[in-house]
């Protein structure tokens, strides 16, 4: 049953918004019907008004036509606004499903050149719904009706239109088919420009400090030339088809006029019918050409739909609420590298009771950061499970997970914005007292107040205003702000290691006394702080060790148990 629900998320969303969509379709049907007023006006003018020399009839017809055109303008504006709102509501509801995905933060996962799984596709569909593409499709729906009217006027002109439309379809389908490879080359070249822009944004300091500017400039110029050349190649090739298509429309219009004029000379058509047939033929040709030009957009929308449907196929297991402090358990957890599929963690099992502090010692590439990021949901176990109390961590909502686990990473970075925003984790309704308390505990409150703008001081992604030690303390403040049940510190620096046994000792003891869990991952065993338990992590395997200590409590050795 759950699988059925997941498979119909997009369809169910459309059904829930069907009244808006049907309303816009209904407006388009009325709009298309009123477009017949123009040809009818011409028939009446040429076949009734001019022979009768009736000025009163002409004035009446003009007034009626002006009213109809005014109504058409209002209808066209209204359907475009309605479709824009339909697209916005569709995107909003789909994003709610994406954010409720079981795998926390899956929408941050990169997929090719797309920055987000699902969000980019939802935005693309919104653009399609409110752009001219959908309007072109709705207008094209009237082309068979107009063609039927032309056949009523004259089957001969109708078949000319059919032949012209067939040629128009052939030209545009050939354009789509044969330009696909060139379009992909241009897209890849444009993506390289985008990647270089991202590199410059994220690694500007590294490029400048490591003297990579000249090499980066060469790459930029090379990528720009490639993007320019592929764009020109693509435009040159498709330009032939575009020119041929537009002139085919003109040719069809004039051929229809010539055929209608011939039939008029032969006495088979009136002048009004001749003009009406020409206008209808032109409208059919232009609507068809406009629709065919939207084929790439339609194809892109279809691909976005399929990708979005795949992203939404992730199970939406019911989230659970965690009450109070609870034990953290890893049961036979194995984690594999997403690229190589090599094991990064191997059958790791550990039970950490509330109020415990755990030290995990391991060398470089032992798996410490993988262990930490498995707990925060960045790595998904390929086997085993991670739970806190009776609840699997994957079942926690994004909000509850943020309040459950606080993380101080080895390499600290920031979101470009204010210090306040970074400590509060971008919360829009932050708790000022909790924010200041977290900064005081992390011993960065005074440093922050030393800036003229205080907590409103802006920082870049690297935290360039701060020293390495201060960046770690800011990360600690960020981790403590939510009052987590589990605090993870990955590779604490010298200042933080000393603070654990000195300035932070009372706060840490209070945290543990309330049932909190402290996990510290380090290459060198802590000598001034004695944890409840200690483990060694090597090649992804975890083994508990025995701690030997002097009478003053300082750790002097760690031995295998």
């Amino acid at each position: 049953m759950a699988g059925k629900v997941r498979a119909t998320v997009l369809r169910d969303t459309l059904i829930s918004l069907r009244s808006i969509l049907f309303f816009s379709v209904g407006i388009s049907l009325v709009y298309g019907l009123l477009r017949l007023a123009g040809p009818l006006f011409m028939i009446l003018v040429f076949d009734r008004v001019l022979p009768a020399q009736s000025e009163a009839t002409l004035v009446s017809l003009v007034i009626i036509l002006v009213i109809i055109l005014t109504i058409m303008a209002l209808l066209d504006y209204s359907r475009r606004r309605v479709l824009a709102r339909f697209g916005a509501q569709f995107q909003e509801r789909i994003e709610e499903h994406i954010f409720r995905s079981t795998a926390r933060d899956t929408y941050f996962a990169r997929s090719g050149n797309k920055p987000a799984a699902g969000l980019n596709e939802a935005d693309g569909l919104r653009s399609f719904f409110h752009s001219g593409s959908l309007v072109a499709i709705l207008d094209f729906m009237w082309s068979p009706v107009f063609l039927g009217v032309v056949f009523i006027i004259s089957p001969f002109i109708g078949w000319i239109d059919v032949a012209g439309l067939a040629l128009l379809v052939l030209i545009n389908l050939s354009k789509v088919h044969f330009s696909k490879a060139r379009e992909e080359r241009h897209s890849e070249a444009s993506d390289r420009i985008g990647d270089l822009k991202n590199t410059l944004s994220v690694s500007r300091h590294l490029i400048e400090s490591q003297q990579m500017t000249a090499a980066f400039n060469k790459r930029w110029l090379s990528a720009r030339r490639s993007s320019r050349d592929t764009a020109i190649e693509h435009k040159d090739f498709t330009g032939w088809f575009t020119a041929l298509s537009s002139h085919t429309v003109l040719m069809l219009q004039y051929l229809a006029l010539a055929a209608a004029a011939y039939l008029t000379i032969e006495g088979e058509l009136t002048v009004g019918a001749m003009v009406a047939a020409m206008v209808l033929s032109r409208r059919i040709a232009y609507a068809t050409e406009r629709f065919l030009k939207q084929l790439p957009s339609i194809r892109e929308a279809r691909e976005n739909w399929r990708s979005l449907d795949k992203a939404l196929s992730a199970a939406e297991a019911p989230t659970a609420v965690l009450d109070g402090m609870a034990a953290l358990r890893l049961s036979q957890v194995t984690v594999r590298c997403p690229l190589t599929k090599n094991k990064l963690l191997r059958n790791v099992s550990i039970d950490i009771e509330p109020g415990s502090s755990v030290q995990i010692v391991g060398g470089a590439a032992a798996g410490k950061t993988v262990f930490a990021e498995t707990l925060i949901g960045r790595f998904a176990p390929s086997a085993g499970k991670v739970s806190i109390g009776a609840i699997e961590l994957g079942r926690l909502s994004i909000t509850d997970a943020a309040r459950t686990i606080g993380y101080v990473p080895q390499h600290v970075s920031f979101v470009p914005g204010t210090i306040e925003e970074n400590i509060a984790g971008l919360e829009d309704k932050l708790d000022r007292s909790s924010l200041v308390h977290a900064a005081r505990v992390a011993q960065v409150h005074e440093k922050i107040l030393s800036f003229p703008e205080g907590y409103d001081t802006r920082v870049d992604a690297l935290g360039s205003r701060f020293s390495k030690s201060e960046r770690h303390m800011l990360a600690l403040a960020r981790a403590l702000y939510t009052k987590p049940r589990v605090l993870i510190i990955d590779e604490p620096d010298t200042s933080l290691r000393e603070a654990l046994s000195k300035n932070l000792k009372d706060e840490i003891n209070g945290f543990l006394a309330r049932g909190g869990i402290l996990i510290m991952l380090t290459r060198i065993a802590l000598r001034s702080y004695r944890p409840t338990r200690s483990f060694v992590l090597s090649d992804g395997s975890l083994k508990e060790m025995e701690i030997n200590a002097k009478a003053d409590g300082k750790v002097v050795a760690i031995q295998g148990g």
Side-chain angles (χ1 to χ4, degrees), residues 15 75-76 79 88 92 100 242 269 271 294 297 303 364 383 422 467 536 558:
I15 291 175
L75 290 175
D76 189 32
R79 65 174 177 169
E92 182 177 349
R100 289 200 301 267
T242 302
L269 288 181
V271 175
Q294 302 302 321
S297 297
E303 292 174 354
N422 274 274
S467 66
V536 169
I558 299 179

Side-chain angles (χ1 to χ4, degrees), residues 65-80:
L65 182 64
V66 170
I67 293 173
I68 291 176
L69 290 176
T70 302
I71 294 173
M72 289 177 64
L74 293 174
L75 290 175
D76 189 32
Y77 174 80
S78 298
R79 65 174 177 169
R80 292 176 187 274

Side-chain angles (χ1 to χ4, degrees), residues 404-421:
T404 300
I405 300 176
Y407 178 43
V408 181
Q410 177 182 0
H411 302 290
V412 179
S413 58
F414 301 90
V415 177
T418 65
I419 296 175
E420 181 179 87
E421 290 172 334

